[in-house]
Amino acid sequence: MLLEMEIEVTKTGSPKYNEVDLNNPEFGKYLADHMLIADYANGKWGTPKIIPFQNLSMSPAMLALHYGQTVFEGMKAFRTKNGAISIFRMDKHLKRFNRSLERMCMPPVPEEIFYEGLKKLVETDRNWVPGADGASLYIRPFMFASEERYGVKISEEYKFIIFSGPVGPYYNQPLRVKVETGFVRAPKGGTGYAKCGGNYGGSFYPTALARKEGYDQVFWTDARTNEYIEESGTMNVLFMIDDVLVTPAISDSILDGVTRDSILTLAREMGVKVEERSVAVAELEAALKAGTLTQAFGAGTAAVVAPIQDIYINGVDYSLPKWGDDCFMLTVKKKLADIRTGAIEDTHHWNTLI
Ligand code: COI
């Protein structure tokens, strides 16, 4: 469906893309020149508009600031080998966004606003899309409760915004990860599958403690028994055990990662045996001891494929064996990059060319 009204674009008079080295931008530091904004009030969406990136004016009594009705997505656009621009898996991101919104009692964003808005915003900021290997335009659609009210209630007003910025790798080196068996991220029936702000805020304290102990990230375990691996704070986790690609099955306490899904699809095509199932900490421990766990990596839009070097379990640091350039995780990472940049055919129609 097409938007009834054209999205109005007001361009900045002072674009800044020439001031940033687009070849290796630090993740999360740079903002492209424009943003899209749409308001929801009186039960309906207003027409989105694209304006120069700018601060918002808001009431200190705005509901999102107090009760956490805020949801986001993380997406990427790539410069293809022939200079075009493609946005990766828009449909899967919108589906997840609307599932998260439903869980947080927020109205869905209509397809036409999401798709048309994204395409027009990326088109407007096309000079910000990097072409270097490993770099991309990170896109952050998000929505929050904007009603001014401080009684605990579901907001009746929302803002949907998309901004973007050029990024390089989220992690620059192989990770040291701690299996967390004290703090938990998400119980059954909770908000773990939703990309809501609170899931991230709640993970900061345990992750900061793990950092002090020398780890980059934690592996969250299930909230009931702490015996099963769930995900890492910024990514899903996958393991190569006895030449089988094993990953925790998606549940209501695990984010349904778009990169995870893409990797599993490619792995199956590559003839790799894939198992989506419960992954016990004890299984990892035994496989690390036996040397049958040969690769472990995180997968996420920001992290892409993030190799893991060390895993801490119950007081012991286990190191993964050295991996070569031809290992599965680096091969699938390259395949994904090649699909996104048009170097190989996009047989799954994951790219939206703009
Ligand atoms: C992403 O991978 O896009 C994420 O949202 C993870 C992190 C940057 C919060």
Side-chain angles (χ1 to χ4, degrees):
M1 205 207 299
L2 285 176
L3 265 181
E4 275 170 30
M5 268 180 277
E6 184 71 0
I7 299 176
E8 194 185 307
V9 180
T10 309
K11 285 202 178 170
T12 177
S14 50
K16 301 209 165 32
Y17 54 85
N18 280 330
E19 297 168 23
V20 176
D21 174 8
L22 293 181
N23 286 327
N24 191 20
E26 183 185 323
F27 192 98
K29 186 166 170 184
Y30 302 103
L31 290 155
D33 287 319
H34 300 89
M35 63 194 228
L36 175 130
I37 185 160
D39 288 315
Y40 178 93
N42 302 316
K44 57 180 197 296
W45 284 99
T47 307
K49 55 188 184 189
I50 290 175
I51 55 176
F53 185 89
Q54 58 195 260
N55 290 343
L56 303 170
S57 163
M58 58 182 70
S59 165
M62 189 181 80
L63 281 166
L65 297 178
H66 302 265
Y67 309 123
Q69 262 187 306
T70 171
V71 162
F72 70 95
E73 268 301 314
M75 307 178 59
K76 277 182 174 171
F78 297 84
R79 175 108 20 213
T80 67
K81 296 288 176 209
N82 58 14
I85 291 168
S86 73
I87 305 176
F88 192 65
R89 301 199 72 172
M90 294 208 306
D91 51 347
K92 186 137 174 85
H93 282 285
L94 174 60
K95 227 172 166 182
R96 186 174 68 182
F97 191 49
N98 280 337
R99 272 187 81 211
S100 302
L101 291 170
E102 181 187 38
R103 179 63 180 82
M104 299 306 288
C105 238
M106 298 161 76
V109 171
E111 264 183 24
E112 57 274 23
I113 292 184
F114 194 86
Y115 292 154
E116 296 305 312
L118 258 175
K119 286 192 274 185
K120 199 145 195 170
L121 181 67
V122 174
E123 174 63 40
T124 307
D125 278 328
R126 61 182 302 123
N127 290 327
W128 283 90
V129 183
D133 278 356
S136 56
L137 186 76
Y138 186 81
I139 306 168
R140 174 53 62 83
F142 67 109
M143 183 165 142
F144 58 91
S146 53
E147 186 182 343
E148 181 186 63
R149 195 62 87 87
Y150 56 87
V152 179
K153 75 179 283 276
I154 300 164
S155 182
E156 284 166 47
E157 292 168 20
Y158 296 91
K159 280 194 189 300
F160 170 60
I161 296 178
I162 313 177
F163 66 72
S164 70
V167 298
Y170 193 79
Y171 295 112
N172 284 306
Q173 56 199 32
L175 303 176
R176 282 170 55 74
V177 178
K178 173 186 176 184
V179 173
E180 177 61 62
T181 51
F183 297 100
V184 295
R185 173 182 175 273
K188 285 260 156 283
T191 60
Y193 69 91
K195 214 161 165 57
C196 56
N199 286 346
Y200 294 79
S203 72
F204 287 168
Y205 182 65
T207 308
L209 293 181
R211 288 232 167 90
K212 269 195 199 149
E213 295 165 25
Y215 301 96
D216 302 297
Q217 262 301 340
V218 298
F219 279 172
W220 297 108
T221 53
D222 71 288
R224 200 172 63 79
T225 66
N226 294 126
E227 285 175 11
Y228 296 93
I229 301 290
E230 300 238 295
E231 61 162 269
S232 190
T234 48
M235 49 199 187
N236 296 109
V237 291
L238 298 93
F239 306 96
M240 191 63 81
I241 305 175
D242 271 331
D243 294 326
V244 178
L245 185 62
V246 179
T247 189
I250 292 305
S251 73
D252 63 359
S253 55
I254 297 179
L255 194 79
D256 183 2
V258 176
T259 309
R260 172 190 179 282
D261 179 77
S262 308
I263 287 173
L264 296 184
T265 303
L266 295 178
R268 289 185 175 108
E269 279 175 10
M270 289 158 72
V272 174
K273 186 165 180 220
V274 173
E275 291 179 2
E276 297 179 72
R277 58 165 170 82
S278 299
V279 181
V281 176
E283 177 186 357
L284 287 191
E285 198 173 13
L288 282 160
K289 281 183 182 157
T292 51
L293 172 46
T294 51
Q295 298 167 58
F297 59 100
T301 297
V304 193
V305 168
I308 292 167
Q309 174 67 72
D310 301 295
I311 305 180
Y312 169 98
I313 304 177
N314 298 325
V316 180
D317 276 319
Y318 296 93
S319 288
L320 275 287
K322 281 217 175 326
W323 54 83
D325 288 347
D326 59 347
C327 68
F328 170 78
M329 61 185 168
L330 298 185
T331 307
V332 81
K333 180 180 179 188
K334 168 137 191 353
K335 198 158 201 165
L336 197 53
D338 284 348
I339 292 171
R340 290 160 148 177
T341 55
I344 58 176
E345 199 188 341
D346 172 26
T347 52
H348 300 284
H349 309 290
W350 285 338
N351 297 333
T352 299
L353 287 171
I354 57 163

